């Protein structure tokens, strides 16, 4: 606010040229969060700000906190071609619903300011003299159409807008229907032919970005014989697309499955006919309608026993032992979650030829890293199958021996080791001959923490992960717990990749655990000494402030910090600490945080940022 007062005085000063004021505006406009300050009241500055933020990346600023305020924005002639160039790639604006387009706060700010007549061009209302060049852009056409639908535009701009819109484009956007209805007279005068049912290029529905429709409807089912119905259901997808009348309407197997499932629940003539088709022609339907069969088997209540029995027979006959689909994974996951282990489907599951399953990256043609990524594991055919075995192993004692044998015979080493680790149970002793970093990754996928008897088995692997910096959201808690118990960070044989690993979580584990870990003092000191940028200092602040942080552990941490403060190279941002102190309700923790504050001040270990100086004065 103090800088803004200076800025306001400079604007009024006769000694400051307008070009210098504009240069100041350009510099200030680079700050994204300008909207939260009084600078946003300067409409010329807001013009520079809009262009500056669009230049950075219009889609990057999806969320800008500004409390729905309406801003006055003054553009200059020179800014218009820049805006056109920045928004020339209209792919993101041409097909999406308008509501989605303005979910980008930067576009929403522009739209709301135009809607409220707060956008100016050379200090004159832009809607009174709208540049033709902006009307060439589909985005601005849609903005103006929506403004006219809501508030109305002057007749000159409406006519100019109509002249620029391509009314033969059925996917202009849904809002064009209201515009056509409201502006029939003007459109007819210009002799323009309009279409029926303008819509968005992409409609967001439950299942995707297109309008999905069943291959078949109730009337066809009632009027056709079983073989004719089968022929329709098996029609290839490229024949199912509609004509150009609606290029974004797609008939899909999924939509057809949804229609058949909902119809089966109605207990009418249509449902009886569908049941007959499934029971008589299910072996032919199955390859393309796995989802249909899986959903009937999953839902134990909504379908007749005769249908369920027939569907199970078909599933068991068609289940391939050389592949494993997404639908099959979904089916088995649901059966496990519902505890339906009596299903004969599990006997088939354990007969799969595991080494016939694909383990390549699903979407990317790239080399797999040394440490198997969990997202990669579960998104391969082999990983999907093994993941089901991992889940089954947790719930079904009688299958554990068989599952262990299947996993031990997996040829792909990383997948085998991961799965062997993930088959570990909370109350079991690790009896593996070889434990690798992927064993540890799989173990961490299933379990957090260790039996004391297992800690020594993982020690070497823990040192490897620390040395290579292979730490991720799945394994970090276990790695930090293992390190605190078993690994001395200052031991000669220990190498730690400090640049690749964020140890903030280790601080949380120390402060939140009643356990006195073997090496917690050594780790605490090393983390503090390696904190050259003050990030761990802030982590300590937040960790102590946490409700779960134990008071005695927090006090010991501050004591250690004080012991080695002379060797601490970091500088901590003061505003974070001040705010944390203000919000702390526990008086003992507040005292600790205040002690931490003065420890930093006394030793000149502070990085005063934008709010810190003012708060300190307060």
């Amino acid at each position: 606010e103090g800088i803004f007062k200076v800025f306001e005085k400079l604007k009024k000063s006769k000694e400051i040229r307008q070009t210098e004021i504009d240069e100041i505006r350009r510099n200030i406009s680079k700050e994204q969060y300008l909207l939260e300050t009084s600078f946003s009241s300067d409409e010329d500055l807001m013009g520079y700000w809009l262009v500056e933020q669009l230049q950075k990346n219009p889609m990057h600023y999806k969320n800008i906190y500004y409390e729905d305020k309406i801003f006055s924005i003054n553009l200059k002639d020179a800014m218009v071609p820049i805006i056109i160039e920045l928004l020339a790639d209209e792919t993101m604006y041409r097909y999406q619903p308008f509501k989605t387009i303005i979910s980008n706060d930067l576009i929403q700010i522009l739209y709301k300011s135009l809607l409220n007549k707060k956008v100016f061009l050379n200090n004159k209302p832009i809607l009174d003299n709208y540049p033709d060049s902006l009307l060439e852009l589909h985005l601005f056409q849609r903005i103006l159409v929506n403004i006219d639908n809501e508030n109305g535009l002057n007749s000159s701009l409406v006519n100019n807008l109509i002249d620029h819109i391509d009314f033969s484009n059925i996917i202009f956007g849904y809002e064009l229907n209201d515009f056509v209805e409201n502006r029939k007279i003007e459109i007819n005068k210009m002799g323009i032919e309009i279409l029926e049912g303008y819509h968005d290029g992409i409609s967001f529905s439950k299942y995707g970005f297109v309008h999905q429709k069943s291959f078949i409807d109730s009337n066809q089912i009632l009027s056709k014989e079983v073989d004719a119905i089968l022929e329709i259901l098996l029609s290839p997808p490229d024949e199912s697309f509609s004509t150009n009348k609606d290029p974004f309407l797609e008939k899909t197997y999924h939509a057809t499955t949804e229609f058949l499932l909902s119809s089966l629940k109605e207990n009418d003539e249509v449902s009886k006919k569908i049941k007959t088709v499934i029971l008589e022609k299910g072996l032919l339907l199955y390859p393309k309608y796995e989802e249909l069969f899986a959903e009937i088997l999953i839902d134990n209540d909504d379908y007749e026993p005769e249908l369920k029995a027939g569907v199970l027979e078909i599933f068991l006959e068609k289940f391939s032992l050389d592949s494993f689909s997404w639908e099959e994974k979904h089916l088995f996951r649901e059966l496990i979650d519902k505890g339906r282990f009596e299903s004969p489907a599990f006997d088939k599951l354990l007969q799969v030829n595991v080494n016939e399953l694909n383990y390549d990256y699903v979407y990317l043609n790239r080399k797999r890293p040394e440490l198997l990524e969990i997202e990669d594991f579960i998104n391969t055919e082999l990983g999907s199958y093994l993941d089901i075995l991992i889940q089954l192993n947790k719930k079904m004692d009688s299958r554990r021996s068989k599952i262990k044998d299947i996993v031990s015979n997996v040829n792909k080493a990383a997948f085998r080791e991961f799965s062997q680790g993930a088959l570990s149970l909370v109350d079991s002793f690790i009896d593996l001959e070889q434990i690798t970093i992927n064993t540890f990754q799989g173990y961490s996928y299933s379990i957090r923490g260790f039996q004391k008897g297992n800690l020594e088995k993982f020690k070497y692997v823990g040192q490897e992960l620390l040395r290579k910096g292979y730490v991720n959201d799945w394994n970090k808690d276990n790695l930090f717990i293992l390190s605190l118990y078993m690994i001395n960070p200052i031991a000669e044989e220990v190498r730690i990749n400090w640049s690749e690993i964020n140890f903030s979580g280790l601080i949380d584990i120390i402060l939140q655990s009643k356990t006195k870990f073997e090496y917690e003092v050594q780790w605490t000191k090393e983390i503090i000494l390696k904190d050259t940028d003050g990030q761990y200092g802030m982590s300590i602040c937040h960790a102590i402030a946490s409700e779960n942080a134990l008071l005695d552990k927090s006090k010991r941490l501050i004591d250690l910090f004080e012991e080695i403060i002379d060797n601490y190279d970091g500088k901590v941002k003061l505003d974070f600490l001040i705010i944390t102190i203000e919000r702390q309700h526990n008086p003992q923790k507040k005292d600790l945080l205040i002690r931490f504050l003065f420890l930093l001040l006394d030793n000149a270990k502070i990085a005063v940022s934008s709010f810190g100086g003012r708060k300190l004065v307060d």
Side-chain angles (χ1 to χ4, degrees):
E1 293 303 306
I3 298 172
F4 178 72
K5 289 175 183 176
V6 174
F7 174 65
E8 287 290 281
K9 287 184 178 180
L10 287 173
K11 287 192 326 188
K12 297 172 184 176
S13 171
K14 294 179 180 178
E15 298 176 9
I16 306 295
R17 297 191 300 273
Q18 185 60 43
T19 54
E20 292 176 316
I21 293 295
D22 286 342
E23 187 61 30
I24 291 171
R25 287 187 172 112
R26 282 193 194 93
N27 289 328
I28 296 173
S29 72
K30 295 174 183 177
E31 173 55 59
Q32 176 188 342
Y33 300 102
L34 197 69
L35 305 185
E36 302 172 34
T37 73
S38 297
F39 284 99
S40 62
S41 63
D42 186 295
E43 59 190 34
D44 291 312
L45 177 52
M46 287 302 297
Y48 286 110
W49 179 87
L50 178 65
V51 174
E52 178 68 32
Q53 304 312 309
L54 284 172
Q55 282 178 317
K56 286 183 177 178
N57 184 345
M59 292 308 292
H60 179 68
Y61 295 99
K62 192 79 175 171
N63 298 296
I64 301 173
Y65 176 72
Y66 66 97
E67 296 182 328
D68 293 330
K69 289 188 289 187
I70 308 299
F71 301 99
S72 292
I73 301 171
N74 184 47
L75 303 173
K76 300 180 185 296
D77 283 330
M79 296 177 181
V80 174
I82 297 174
I83 292 172
I84 291 170
E85 182 181 352
L86 293 170
L87 298 175
D89 180 7
E90 296 193 283
T91 306
M92 65 185 78
Y93 309 120
R94 186 168 290 277
Y95 303 114
Q96 293 177 337
F98 191 70
K99 185 177 181 180
T100 303
I101 291 172
I102 61 172
S103 66
N104 177 333
D105 283 350
L106 200 54
I107 303 300
Q108 185 177 134
I109 288 167
L110 177 59
Y111 167 67
K112 286 189 173 181
S113 294
L114 281 165
L115 182 67
N116 289 276
K117 300 181 179 180
K118 294 289 187 179
V119 179
F120 304 89
L121 181 61
N122 301 321
N123 300 306
K124 297 178 182 178
I126 195 169
L127 294 180
D128 292 344
N129 188 24
Y130 206 81
D132 282 358
S133 54
L134 285 180
L135 285 174
E136 298 289 342
L137 294 185
H138 191 75
L139 171 63
F140 284 97
Q141 291 176 14
R142 295 190 71 177
I143 286 175
L144 292 180
V145 164
N146 278 276
I147 290 174
D148 188 65
N149 289 344
E150 190 162 345
N151 281 354
L153 297 169
N154 66 67
S155 58
S156 175
L157 181 52
V158 167
N159 289 332
N160 205 5
L161 176 60
I162 292 171
D163 194 43
H164 281 82
I165 290 175
D166 177 10
F167 286 90
S168 67
N169 178 16
I170 192 70
I171 56 169
F172 174 94
Y174 186 81
E175 62 271 11
L176 192 60
N177 294 306
D178 289 338
F179 182 79
V180 165
E181 183 65 28
N182 297 334
R183 298 297 184 179
K184 273 183 181 177
I185 297 174
E186 292 92 334
I187 293 171
N188 289 337
K189 278 184 180 179
M190 299 175 75
I192 294 172
E193 184 178 345
I194 59 174
L195 305 177
E196 286 190 20
Y198 293 101
H199 57 80
D200 304 315
I202 297 174
S203 290
F204 290 93
S205 63
K206 181 179 179 181
Y207 296 106
F209 301 105
V210 295
H211 300 283
Q212 295 188 346
K213 189 176 181 180
S214 171
F215 293 139
I216 200 166
D217 58 34
S218 298
N219 290 332
Q220 289 173 300
I221 289 172
L222 289 173
S223 63
K224 293 183 180 295
E225 297 300 320
V226 169
D227 286 340
I229 293 172
L230 178 68
E231 186 177 350
I232 294 172
L233 292 177
L234 295 180
S235 62
D238 57 346
E239 294 176 11
S240 67
F241 279 94
S242 297
T243 62
N244 290 335
K245 183 177 181 181
D246 191 350
F248 287 87
L249 176 66
E250 181 187 358
K251 293 183 179 180
T252 67
Y253 289 111
H254 175 78
T256 307
T257 294
E258 289 289 297
F259 167 72
L260 295 174
L261 289 170
S262 61
S263 298
L264 279 169
K265 298 175 183 179
E266 296 302 319
N267 195 26
D268 55 14
E269 291 304 312
V270 174
S271 69
K272 292 176 184 176
K273 195 75 165 285
I274 295 172
K275 176 184 169 184
T276 301
V277 172
I278 291 173
L279 293 178
E280 292 183 9
K281 304 295 181 180
L283 292 173
L284 296 172
L285 285 172
Y286 184 84
K288 291 184 176 180
Y289 288 92
E290 280 186 85
E291 183 186 6
L292 173 68
F293 289 83
E295 291 298 335
I296 292 173
L297 292 175
I298 288 168
D299 199 325
N300 215 18
D301 303 317
D302 288 335
Y303 305 107
E304 297 175 6
E306 181 189 2
L307 176 64
K308 288 188 290 184
V311 165
L312 179 59
E313 266 187 55
I314 294 165
F315 170 80
L316 294 174
E317 184 171 343
K318 296 297 291 184
F319 184 81
S320 171
L321 300 182
D322 294 330
S323 63
F324 194 69
S325 68
W326 185 93
E327 288 78 11
E328 288 163 347
K329 176 178 180 177
H330 174 58
L331 166 62
F332 283 107
R333 190 64 189 253
E334 288 292 321
L335 293 177
I336 292 169
D337 289 346
K338 293 178 179 180
R340 288 163 55 188
F341 302 114
E342 76 289 348
S343 173
F346 287 108
D347 294 324
K348 281 284 189 181
L349 176 74
L350 299 180
Q351 296 174 36
V352 168
N353 299 317
V354 66
N355 289 313
E356 293 297 319
L357 304 181
N358 190 289
Y359 53 81
D360 292 332
Y361 273 103
V362 180
Y363 302 113
L364 300 176
N365 182 21
R366 60 187 176 95
K367 185 178 178 182
R368 184 168 274 115
E370 182 182 8
L371 183 69
L372 184 59
E373 299 160 342
I374 289 176
E375 291 78 7
D376 170 26
F377 175 82
I378 61 178
N379 284 303
T380 61
E381 185 181 31
L382 175 59
S384 288
Y385 175 73
L386 293 172
D387 188 42
I388 289 299
L389 297 190
I390 291 165
Q391 306 312 320
L392 184 60
N393 183 69
K394 295 176 182 178
K395 301 283 184 73
M396 203 173 183
D397 296 2
S398 62
R399 304 279 190 178
R400 284 177 183 164
S401 178
K402 177 64 175 174
I403 291 170
K404 184 177 177 182
D405 288 342
I406 293 171
V407 168
S408 66
N409 286 303
V410 173
N411 289 336
K412 187 62 177 173
F415 283 74
R416 180 181 66 251
E417 294 160 4
F418 181 100
S419 301
Q420 287 174 328
L423 292 180
S424 305
L425 301 171
V426 174
D427 56 354
S428 68
F429 185 74
I430 303 295
D431 60 351
L432 297 170
E433 292 182 9
Q434 182 184 21
I435 293 178
T436 68
I437 58 176
N438 284 309
T439 314
F440 188 85
Q441 183 85 328
Y443 177 91
S444 300
Y445 178 57
S446 290
I447 299 173
R448 184 185 187 274
F450 303 88
Q451 281 198 3
K452 284 199 172 181
N454 289 328
L455 284 166
E456 185 66 38
K457 290 179 174 290
F458 284 116
K459 180 178 177 180
Y460 174 76
V461 165
Q463 290 178 341
E464 279 289 283
L465 291 168
L466 290 171
R467 180 174 66 83
K468 295 178 177 179
Y470 292 166
V471 182
N472 52 50
D473 287 341
W474 289 95
N475 68 25
K476 67 179 181 181
D477 280 359
N478 279 343
L479 178 59
F480 293 158
I481 292 169
L482 177 68
S483 300
L484 287 166
Y485 272 119
M486 302 298 298
I487 301 172
N488 184 349
I490 59 175
E492 187 175 342
E493 70 276 9
V494 175
R495 299 286 182 272
I496 300 170
N497 193 332
W498 289 97
S499 63
E500 293 294 325
I501 305 174
N502 183 343
F503 285 99
S504 297
L506 189 144
I507 297 170
D508 288 327
I509 291 171
I510 292 174
L511 295 188
Q512 295 175 18
S513 174
K514 294 180 180 178
T515 302
K516 176 67 169 65
F517 297 104
E518 180 72 20
Y519 296 110
E520 68 176 53
V521 171
Q522 289 90 333
W523 274 106
T524 301
K525 286 184 176 180
E526 283 302 293
I527 289 172
I528 293 171
L529 293 174
K530 292 294 188 294
D531 184 27
T532 56
D533 60 4
Q535 292 303 308
Y536 288 134
M538 286 190 286
S539 296
I540 288 170
C541 166
H542 291 303
I544 292 173
S546 167
E547 288 184 16
N548 298 321
L550 303 174
L551 195 62
D552 60 332
K553 286 283 193 91
S554 301
K555 182 179 182 301
R556 180 59 181 147
L557 177 56
I558 299 298
D559 289 343
L560 285 171
F561 203 104
E562 187 168 12
E563 286 178 23
I564 59 176
I565 189 70
D566 289 340
N567 297 316
Y568 179 62
D569 292 331
K571 288 184 181 292
V572 180
K573 285 188 178 180
L574 205 59
D575 48 326
F576 282 100
L577 180 53
I578 300 284
I579 292 168
T580 303
I581 291 171
E582 287 178 344
R583 293 176 178 174
Q584 181 56 241
H585 299 297
N586 183 318
Q588 292 171 296
K589 283 190 180 179
K590 179 171 280 193
D591 286 345
L592 271 181
L593 291 167
I594 292 172
R595 179 186 163 197
F596 187 43
L597 164 65
F598 280 95
L599 179 62
L600 295 172
L601 286 172
D602 288 344
N603 291 277
K605 302 297 183 182
I606 57 173
V608 181
S609 51
S610 54
F611 298 103
R614 190 187 71 215
K615 290 281 186 181
L616 182 58
V617 171
D618 294 343

